[in-house]
Amino acid sequence: MTTTAPPASAPPATPRPVELGTRLVSLSVEGGVAFVRYDVPGESVNALRAETLAEFDRALAAAEADPAVRAVVLESGKPDSFIVGADVGMLKAVKLPEEAERLSRDGQAALARLAESPKPVVAAVHGPCLGGGFEVALACHGRVASDDPKTAFGLPEVQLGLLPGADGLQRVADRAGLAAALDLGLTGKSLRPQQAKRLGLVDEVVSPFIVRRAAAELALALAEGRAPPAPRRPRTARALALESNPLGRALLFRQARARAFAKTQGHYPAVERIIDVLEAHAAKGFAASREAAARAFGELVVSETAARLMGIFFATTALKKDQGADGPGAEPKPVAKVAVLGAGRMGAGIAYVTSNAGVAVRLKDKDDEGLGRGLTYIADLYDERRRRGSLGEAERAQRLALVTAATDYSGVARADVVIEAVFEDLALKRRVLAEVEAVAAPDAVFASNTSSIPIAKIAEGARRPENVVGMHYFSPVHKMPLLEVVRAARSSPRAVATAVALGKRQGKTVIVVDDGVGFYTSRVLGPYLNEAAHLVAEGAPVEDVDRALVLWGWPVGPMALLDEVGLDVAAHFGPLLVQAFGERMAPPPAIARLVAGGREGRKSERGVYLYGEAARAARGRTPFARGRGKLVDPGLYALLGVEPRPGAVPLEEMQMRCSLQLVNEAARCLGEGVVRGPRDGDVGAVFGLGFPPFRGGPFRYVDGVGADEIVRRVRAYEDRFGPRWAPAPLLVELAGRGAKFYPEG
């Protein structure tokens, strides 16, 4: 162990408990150190509640009044977490901004009291230390963290449409600089312990087994004046130039606002308020920024954006507890080894998230060259994490060692789950399934990573169709959070539950959907992309369509997304949708011409847009390329037989036609039982497709606008464009009853 001061004498083996009369906080004294332990009864993690602050204050007052206590250590009673933030249910129940502002001011006062304690307080952190928990730790006089992979520090409030309400932003700025505070506040990202230490936000990083002792030693050293000043982040010359004078700070905040608006289009007010608070702190000091933070917190907690984002939070929290199947035999099979068939980007990505979960993986491809590319891709992902400081060298080596490779089926016999990620071809997938069944254990689960082919068709002729499910990952696998587990008619509850449990171990948010062409996400995406193509066929410039949908809140426009998906993939999938659901799923006829001549999208550097060398060669030689963004292929419009006309379709119409097509199809899926409920449909659309989170998902969006208004708009488009706009029966029913998808609100 490395400490910042000489070790103090060991505390006695027998602690002296102190009666506080509290429910959440306990206190014991050992060797001159008061250990204040926070433990919410009946919960797996600690969240801050309204009564927490008073109980902390009572414990701190008792420690300060005890002459035998020289220092204080704040610790968690949970085995694998510190404090994960405020109780979101408590925040969601707040109805008035004044009530939320009071919560913020109470938190600010409690942590100021902690920071000003005459006896040093050190936080002993093992596990997640997030949001309000991180604010508590920052207010302490020192912080000792475990080097366990579970330990992380962050201020994720922005992901709920909020900002840190107890001065955490300002304390990060004081210790690590304004740029670091902006980064943590605006992204909501987490830091590993060593990253936090390099920023000066953590004093020591030690083994999980000695966190408590190291925290006590640091606390006693602080009490005795033996500890050196806490480390602060070394500033680069540029950082000093920006942060140490008014002109530099003005530039820093101006750049932050510009970058934030480019990303959010103004849809997330918490982003602006975070910048406001830090700007007030830099210009006017801590007290002024505290006022700004409390007022902003009060406004944000009761905002519509926060309500929608909290709804997504509760939905994903519920899904973590949902095993995906009910009834007899629904217990998941223990999984110690997974086989992944196909070492392309998708298969290698699946192998990466599996090994990252600590599960052994056998990666198979048809030849050594393919395996080499896959293994290199996996190693590169781990190397990138090591360079960023989010993964140590020992962890990288351990996880890479879990991945083995072969060009045959050796090792598959010992796999508990086999995931195929081969080309989207029914005959090929059936052949692979037959080959696996010939060598795999009788109870092994076979999962197809198809995005469109019904699982029942793949399982036709299978020896054990009850073991066959779908596991539809999204690309890139290591970044996209959603996993669709597809339940075919003959899939057993155990197979479904096993796939769900594995997906959760891989860090995915998992929804279970019924079998069928396109399942849920691909099916609802089809009409959205088709409508964008119809707009282009009507003369709307490609970049105008994409910009309109980005302004509405989508992360990328539909035409750019088409390039990412691959025009060849869309061309293969489109006829399957038409065959299954009729002509309402048909794209404009001219779109089929785009696939000619190797025009496959980003992967071939030519699709709707040009990329790489193709873009560099063509840039500046087309009248249809405006601005400095992506370059539309100059031959695209001629191929489609259309002349682009800026303003041909009004902005709002472009937004509504694309987004309402997805909403309408989502309602059809719910009505047909493809998704189990509006919760899963909203989570799938947000996490799998990028539906604007601040709108809550397609079903929350309908409830917000009103089903009757949605049906009115859809029918108006049906009058203009025909059967592809027929409203979903479930939407019509809800509109007729004046009902909502979420009756509870």
Side-chain angles (χ1 to χ4, degrees):
M1 178 186 74
T2 302
T3 62
T4 59
S9 57
T14 304
R16 170 170 60 86
V18 177
E19 180 57 47
L20 296 173
T22 58
R23 189 174 70 92
L24 306 176
V25 177
S26 60
L27 175 64
S28 63
V29 179
E30 305 176 39
V33 177
F35 288 89
V36 176
R37 174 171 291 197
Y38 183 54
D39 194 351
V40 180
E43 299 292 341
S44 59
V45 296
N46 286 325
L48 295 173
R49 300 182 172 185
E51 64 266 37
T52 301
L53 302 176
E55 294 198 15
F56 270 143
D57 186 69
R58 199 176 309 169
L60 189 59
E64 290 172 348
D66 190 335
V69 172
R70 290 178 286 158
V72 180
V73 167
L74 177 62
E75 62 181 353
S76 168
K78 305 301 180 187
D80 288 313
S81 74
F82 184 68
I83 302 173
V84 297
D87 186 327
V88 181
M90 173 189 72
L91 297 178
K92 189 171 177 60
V94 172
K95 302 302 180 187
L96 298 173
E98 295 81 8
E99 183 183 354
E101 184 175 334
R102 185 167 58 252
L103 285 173
S104 175
R105 293 189 187 280
D106 289 346
Q108 291 172 337
L111 295 194
R113 160 92 170 83
L114 177 64
E116 295 161 6
S117 173
K119 294 182 179 179
V121 184
V122 172
V125 179
H126 172 64
C129 176
L130 305 172
F134 191 22
E135 292 186 291
V136 169
L138 286 166
C140 293
H141 302 93
R143 287 148 294 281
V144 174
S146 79
D147 60 4
D148 190 275
K150 292 184 287 291
T151 301
F153 298 86
L155 297 170
E157 285 88 348
V158 71
Q159 297 170 5
L160 293 177
L162 308 175
L163 54 66
D167 302 326
L169 287 168
Q170 303 96 298
R171 289 192 169 97
V172 170
D174 286 345
R175 299 195 63 81
L178 289 169
L182 285 166
D183 184 38
L184 286 179
L186 295 176
T187 65
K189 70 182 183 182
S190 294
L191 298 172
R192 291 293 304 276
Q194 289 293 354
Q195 292 175 303
K197 184 179 179 183
R198 283 195 292 273
L199 286 173
L201 302 175
V202 164
D203 298 88
E204 300 178 25
V205 178
V206 300
S207 163
F209 302 106
I210 57 172
V211 169
R212 193 173 194 262
R213 182 183 182 91
E217 292 174 356
L218 177 59
L220 288 172
L222 288 169
E224 297 165 7
R226 295 184 292 106
R232 291 180 181 271
R233 183 188 189 186
R235 308 289 178 85
T236 64
R238 183 178 186 276
L240 286 170
L242 282 176
E243 299 186 22
S244 62
N245 66 86
L247 289 177
R249 290 194 294 270
L251 175 61
L252 178 69
F253 288 116
R254 188 163 60 248
Q255 291 174 337
R257 290 185 193 281
R259 286 193 298 267
F261 185 82
K263 186 174 182 179
T264 69
Q265 301 299 320
H267 292 305
Y268 296 87
V271 169
E272 281 291 320
R273 300 292 82 78
I274 285 169
I275 299 173
D276 289 345
V277 167
L278 286 170
E279 193 164 22
H281 180 55
K284 302 176 183 177
F286 201 94
S289 69
R290 174 175 286 175
E291 285 295 313
R295 289 193 301 271
F297 188 83
E299 296 167 4
L300 293 170
V301 167
V302 297
S303 68
E304 190 70 18
T305 299
R308 294 291 173 257
L309 295 175
M310 287 186 202
I312 293 171
F313 170 83
F314 286 118
T316 55
T317 300
L319 282 168
K320 290 176 183 177
K321 303 173 184 177
D322 185 347
Q323 67 179 23
D326 301 311
E331 287 299 313
K333 168 186 169 67
V335 175
K337 184 173 183 178
V338 171
V340 178
L341 313 180
R345 285 293 179 98
M346 184 64 74
I350 296 169
Y352 165 78
V353 297
T354 306
S355 63
N356 193 49
V359 179
V361 186
R362 170 73 86 171
L363 184 63
K364 178 193 179 297
D365 206 275
K366 61 184 179 180
D367 54 39
D368 290 335
E369 184 179 354
L371 284 176
R373 287 193 296 269
L375 292 172
T376 298
Y377 180 74
I378 296 168
D380 287 346
L381 292 176
Y382 280 124
D383 286 343
E384 176 60 26
R385 290 183 57 193
R386 182 184 57 184
R387 284 192 293 271
R388 295 199 315 264
S390 65
L391 190 73
E393 178 56 41
E395 291 174 285
R396 172 191 174 277
Q398 289 168 357
R399 295 178 192 186
L400 271 176
L402 290 170
V403 183
T404 59
T407 56
D408 56 25
Y409 283 101
S410 60
V412 173
R414 295 186 297 278
D416 302 297
V417 175
V418 180
I419 304 173
E420 66 83 359
V422 300
F423 185 71
E424 198 79 343
D425 177 80
L426 177 58
L428 175 60
K429 290 180 182 290
R430 284 178 174 170
R431 191 185 81 219
V432 168
L433 172 56
E435 291 170 352
V436 168
E437 287 192 314
V439 299
D443 65 342
V445 173
F446 180 92
S448 174
N449 178 50
T450 177
S451 61
S452 58
I453 303 173
I455 301 304
K457 286 192 174 183
I458 295 173
E460 282 179 6
R463 298 181 190 178
R464 296 178 288 274
E466 69 277 6
N467 290 345
V468 182
V469 297
M471 291 181 75
H472 175 207
Y473 294 85
F474 295 74
S475 183
V477 180
H478 67 288
K479 290 184 178 179
M480 296 296 288
L482 188 73
L483 170 65
E484 257 186 334
V485 169
V486 186
R487 174 185 54 205
R490 298 174 70 181
S491 301
S492 71
R494 188 170 193 243
V496 172
T498 300
V500 170
L502 176 60
K504 291 177 185 177
R505 287 179 69 182
Q506 294 167 333
K508 299 300 180 184
T509 297
V510 186
I511 62 171
V512 175
V513 300
D514 265 5
D515 196 15
V517 174
F519 318 127
Y520 173 65
T521 53
S522 296
R523 176 174 163 183
V524 301
L525 184 63
Y528 171 80
L529 296 178
N530 279 349
E531 199 62 31
H534 279 291
L535 289 167
V536 173
E538 293 167 25
V542 165
E543 57 270 50
D544 287 5
V545 175
D546 277 351
R547 175 165 171 72
L549 273 299
V550 168
L551 288 173
W552 201 72
W554 289 87
V556 297
M559 302 307 288
L561 179 59
L562 192 58
D563 274 356
E564 298 296 332
V565 170
L567 293 173
D568 55 331
V569 174
H572 174 78
F573 180 45
L576 297 177
L577 284 175
V578 174
Q579 183 180 3
F581 304 111
E583 288 301 312
R584 68 181 178 83
M585 286 285 197
I591 292 296
R593 303 184 202 131
L594 294 183
V595 189
R599 187 190 298 268
E600 297 178 346
R602 181 181 283 276
K603 60 191 171 188
S604 69
E605 296 192 348
R606 182 180 293 272
V608 176
Y609 293 93
L610 296 177
Y611 304 88
E613 288 300 327
R616 285 189 285 273
R619 187 166 295 281
R621 297 202 300 267
T622 171
F624 306 128
R626 303 200 301 273
R628 299 176 60 189
K630 289 189 180 77
L631 179 65
V632 177
D633 186 341
L636 176 79
Y637 297 112
L639 196 61
L640 295 176
V642 63
E643 184 73 23
R645 294 174 289 114
V649 183
L651 174 73
E652 184 183 20
E653 181 175 326
M654 290 190 283
Q655 294 170 335
M656 286 294 93
R657 281 174 57 182
C658 292
S659 298
L660 287 183
Q661 276 285 15
L662 186 146
V663 168
N664 195 42
E665 197 63 33
R668 287 183 182 275
C669 286
L670 180 58
E672 295 168 16
V674 175
V675 286
R676 295 180 295 169
R679 175 199 71 182
D680 291 20
D682 281 342
V683 168
V686 170
F687 285 90
L689 304 176
F691 191 94
F694 72 94
R695 300 187 189 275
F699 299 105
R700 287 282 186 193
Y701 175 69
V702 170
D703 283 357
V705 175
D708 55 343
E709 174 62 14
I710 296 293
V711 170
R712 185 194 68 77
R713 294 183 186 185
V714 169
R715 281 186 165 148
Y717 289 135
E718 184 183 22
D719 291 342
R720 290 174 59 191
F721 303 114
R724 77 174 187 265
W725 277 100
L730 183 57
L731 272 179
V732 175
E733 179 194 334
L734 259 63
R737 293 190 289 113
K740 293 184 174 184
F741 287 110
Y742 295 92
E744 73 279 8

